[in-house]
Amino acid sequence: MLYLNNLAKRYGKFYAVNGLSLHVPKGDLFGFVGPNGAGKTTTIRMMCGLLKPDFGDIIVGGNRYSTDKNAVKRCMGYVPDFFGVYDNLKVYEYMEFYGSIYGIDDASVKRMTSDLLELVNLSNLEEQYVDTLSRGMKQRLCVARALLHNPELLVMDEPSSGLDPRARVEMKQVLLNLNSMGKTIVISSHILSDIAEMCTSVGIMNRGKLVTAGRMEDILSLGINNHHLIIDIKSDMETAIQKVREIPDIGIDSVMEGQIVIACSGEDEQINRIMIELMTGGVLVGGFRKEEQNLETLFMKLTGDDINVNQGMPMGPVKGGMNR
Amino acid sequence: MKISLKNIHVNPIMKKDLRIRSRSMKFAWGLFAFEAVLGLVFFFAINLMSLDRYGYTETYKALVYMFPVIGAVELGILSLIIPIETASAITSEREKQTFDILLTTVMTPMQVIRGKVNSATFHMMIYIIASIPLMAVAFTVGGLSWWALLGFLITSFIFAYYVGSIGILCSTLTKKSIGSIVLSYVFMGIFFGGSWTPMAIILMFAQSSGVEELGALTLLFNPAVSFVMFFMTAMGAGDEDIFGGMLIKSPLVWMIVSFSLMIGLSLLFQWFASTRIDPVRGYKERSQTKAGVQ
Ligand SMILES: Nc1ncnc2c1ncn2[C@@H]1O[C@H](COP(=O)(O)OP(=O)(O)OP(=O)(O)O)[C@@H](O)[C@H]1O
Ligand SMILES: [Mg+2]
């Protein structure tokens, strides 16, 4: 459905997006995650024709952006992260306006509007002025607007920003409904739990590059030592750390006050061996707990370290601080 | 095919803009103020004319002069209003954050610009049409031909279209509304006032060198001059009354040439404006160079 081919956007010498290639198959609900300044918005804006890529191409539904802009625009609906509505315009007139841009006649728009408003839980609001709607309602209206020309692909930048928990759940429900109706959806978000819950595939971006992308379950089983074993230590920390270092095939993820976090594969035998090694080594263990890899821990791991630092890139614009 | 109003394709932006604008209180008050000023001018002029110098018949005849007087005042006011109305056309969509959505639809940048220019033009025509009752005195009582009224509407339309195109272009040249308003007043200053400079320079330094008349050519781009030409024709001035040094002696020919040039220039401004708002203009796929890959 959507192919991004070696996409790049440069601001001066700084690559906001650098050589990004991605394929989102038809029917997927794809989530873009990444720290602030990773380049998600930049990528999405290039996908929608709001920014000119410096390199690369975008192919949507078999149409190339560089050769057939209009065909791409026809099969894509876009909901920006920040957007406004017109004053002095009623909801149905708002829909009518965008409908007429796509050459849909007023009668059809009227029919579709009531269907779409129902889909986004805004039924019977046709007569209300758009600027009097709440933030969450505007957001859902904007989704309805983006669906008016029946695009195959819906692109949303941060659909849950600025929404209260209830509105967020509602938005999630709307997106899941749309996805079950066969729409391909691409969203970007910071709320990893939302993404993990609803997306079928995910891409993690950091500093302009796609660190990893794929189906959710494949992504979550990524890496060898992808489980965390958190052990409370009641005796001397130094000896405990020393003992853990002697055990093969595991690593120390982090050390906190009275606690060691060990990265391991998570099998019961391995955990037992670790505990035995520690106890026979004279370490007093207060308790322990196993944590499976989830999107959040993976996200921290993949975006926290500096493996993916681009050369010649100023550190300034990247709002880091994602390390534990 | 059945012809009905529904089958006529109207630029969606124009329809939307006119709808929004006609609902705003600003528009209602603007129209009120406009009519009030014209009304004042009207009564002031009537008073001047009916001072004892004239008999009744003379007064009726003199009412003919209401036409150019009101027409000139009207266009003066519009020249002040249009920049404010149009200069914010694009910037306000940007400020309201509705512009991005517009650009991701299938509307081409040129269609967006056309919609904006058209809505500005029609909006101005509402003002013009609202003033017709006042002007009608010059026609019904003063005995001016109705063709003159039609001519006035056409001339005003081209005027609004031209000045509107300038305003829309300015709207795409700056980020903030206030900047583009200032810029479009500068543009207007150049077209209204600056177009006299070549003539003035020639008169000052190269008098009777045989090129005086060339200096008048830039006046073809001056909408105010073509209006004067129009009023002269409408009021029945002869060809010999026209400004001495003009290259084209007939006001009618002048108007035709001038209007064609102004429409051409309007289209040029619109094209330029459309390139300014197109975010992906000239986008071709390029393979990434070595510098980009890491
Ligand atoms: N117009 C611009 N000029 C210069 N740099 C820019 C511009 N727009 C974006 N950038 C830079 O590009 C990088 C990517 O920004 P982008 O908005 O795509 O990040 P993001 O992933 O959407 O972040 P967030 O999660 O905060 O929305 C940032 O470092 C930003 O500073
Ligand atoms: Mg963003």
Side-chain angles (χ1 to χ4, degrees), chain B residues 134-199:
Chain B
L134 274 179
M135 265 186 184
V137 175
F139 295 89
T140 47
V141 184
L144 211 57
S145 128
W146 290 104
W147 286 110
L149 184 64
L150 185 67
F152 177 72
L153 287 178
I154 293 172
T155 315
S156 312
F157 188 83
I158 293 171
F159 176 86
Y161 191 70
Y162 184 51
V163 181
S165 299
I166 295 175
I168 297 291
L169 174 61
C170 292
S171 190
T172 64
L173 294 177
T174 60
K175 285 258 181 299
K176 286 258 154 26
S177 293
I178 189 75
S180 48
I181 292 176
V182 172
L183 194 65
S184 70
Y185 278 127
V186 171
F187 263 81
M188 301 270 282
I190 292 171
F191 281 104
F192 280 84
S195 54
W196 291 95
T197 352
M199 196 185 219

Side-chain angles (χ1 to χ4, degrees), chain A residues 230-289:
Chain A
I230 301 154
I231 308 174
D232 295 330
I233 307 288
K234 299 289 182 195
S235 60
D236 180 42
M237 279 305 266
E238 290 302 321
T239 29
I241 293 169
Q242 194 58 40
K243 284 288 161 213
V244 174
R245 288 235 167 91
E246 288 165 7
I247 306 170
D249 298 333
I250 60 166
I252 296 181
D253 185 85
S254 59
V255 178
M256 281 170 275
E257 182 89 27
Q259 233 176 30
I260 298 182
V261 181
I262 296 171
C264 61
S265 57
E267 290 123 28
D268 294 337
E269 292 81 13
Q270 192 190 35
I271 292 175
N272 276 329
R273 208 171 66 234
I274 295 171
M275 298 319 287
I276 292 170
E277 287 287 332
L278 282 177
M279 289 168 178
T280 52
V283 176
L284 186 58
V285 174
F288 72 94
R289 142 174 78 95

Side-chain angles (χ1 to χ4, degrees), chain B residues 20 39 75 77 98 114 150 168 175 178 242 261 280-281:
Chain B
I20 291 178
L75 293 165
I77 296 175
T98 48
R114 285 229 184 94
L150 185 67
I168 297 291
K175 285 258 181 299
I178 189 75
I242 202 165
L261 282 174
V280 289
R281 201 171 97 81

Side-chain angles (χ1 to χ4, degrees), chain A residues 73-239:
Chain A
K73 284 177 169 180
R74 272 198 186 278
C75 51
M76 181 137 76
Y78 167 60
V79 181
D81 45 355
F82 300 107
F83 64 92
V85 295
Y86 300 101
D87 305 331
N88 286 321
L89 212 57
K90 290 177 180 170
V91 167
Y92 81 86
E93 291 166 340
Y94 179 82
M95 296 293 273
E96 203 179 275
F97 167 54
Y98 289 103
S100 62
I101 288 180
Y102 288 95
I104 309 169
D105 64 272
D106 290 359
S108 313
V109 169
K110 214 164 207 129
R111 209 183 49 243
M112 290 164 75
T113 298
S114 65
D115 290 351
L116 285 170
L117 289 185
E118 197 181 316
L119 189 72
V120 297
N121 303 329
L122 289 177
S123 300
N124 305 323
L125 284 180
E126 278 98 335
E127 290 293 327
Q128 190 156 346
Y129 282 96
V130 281
D131 50 329
T132 63
L133 297 176
S134 76
R135 171 104 172 82
M137 289 161 119
K138 277 181 197 161
Q139 186 114 11
R140 276 177 283 143
L141 176 64
C142 200
V143 173
R145 191 269 319 152
L147 292 170
L148 198 51
H149 59 291
N150 200 14
E152 289 171 65
L153 175 68
L154 178 70
V155 181
M156 281 189 87
D157 200 356
E158 308 215 5
S160 39
S161 74
L163 300 189
D164 68 45
R166 175 176 292 276
R168 240 170 67 196
V169 172
E170 279 177 347
M171 179 54 81
K172 205 155 71 183
Q173 209 51 55
V174 167
L175 290 179
L176 283 171
N177 274 347
L178 284 171
N179 188 235
S180 68
M181 287 163 57
K183 296 248 184 262
T184 314
I185 303 177
V186 172
I187 61 173
S188 87
S189 183
H190 291 133
I191 300 170
L192 297 168
S193 56
D194 281 3
I195 296 268
E197 232 172 276
M198 64 175 165
C199 289
T200 54
S201 54
V202 67
I204 300 183
M205 266 192 102
N206 194 24
R207 296 175 175 172
K209 292 200 163 194
L210 199 61
V211 183
T212 181
R215 307 206 62 76
M216 190 63 85
E217 57 270 21
D218 299 342
I219 292 285
L220 287 183
S221 57
L222 211 68
I224 348 159
N225 287 340
N226 53 15
H227 283 63
H228 282 160
L229 186 65
I230 301 154
I231 308 174
D232 295 330
I233 307 288
K234 299 289 182 195
S235 60
D236 180 42
M237 279 305 266
E238 290 302 321
T239 29

Side-chain angles (χ1 to χ4, degrees), chain B residues 198-219:
Chain B
M199 196 185 219
I201 291 174
I202 289 174
L203 285 180
M204 253 192 283
F205 300 106
Q207 219 162 9
S208 63
S209 60
V211 295
E212 286 105 321
E213 297 183 337
L214 289 178
L217 279 184
T218 49
L219 290 179

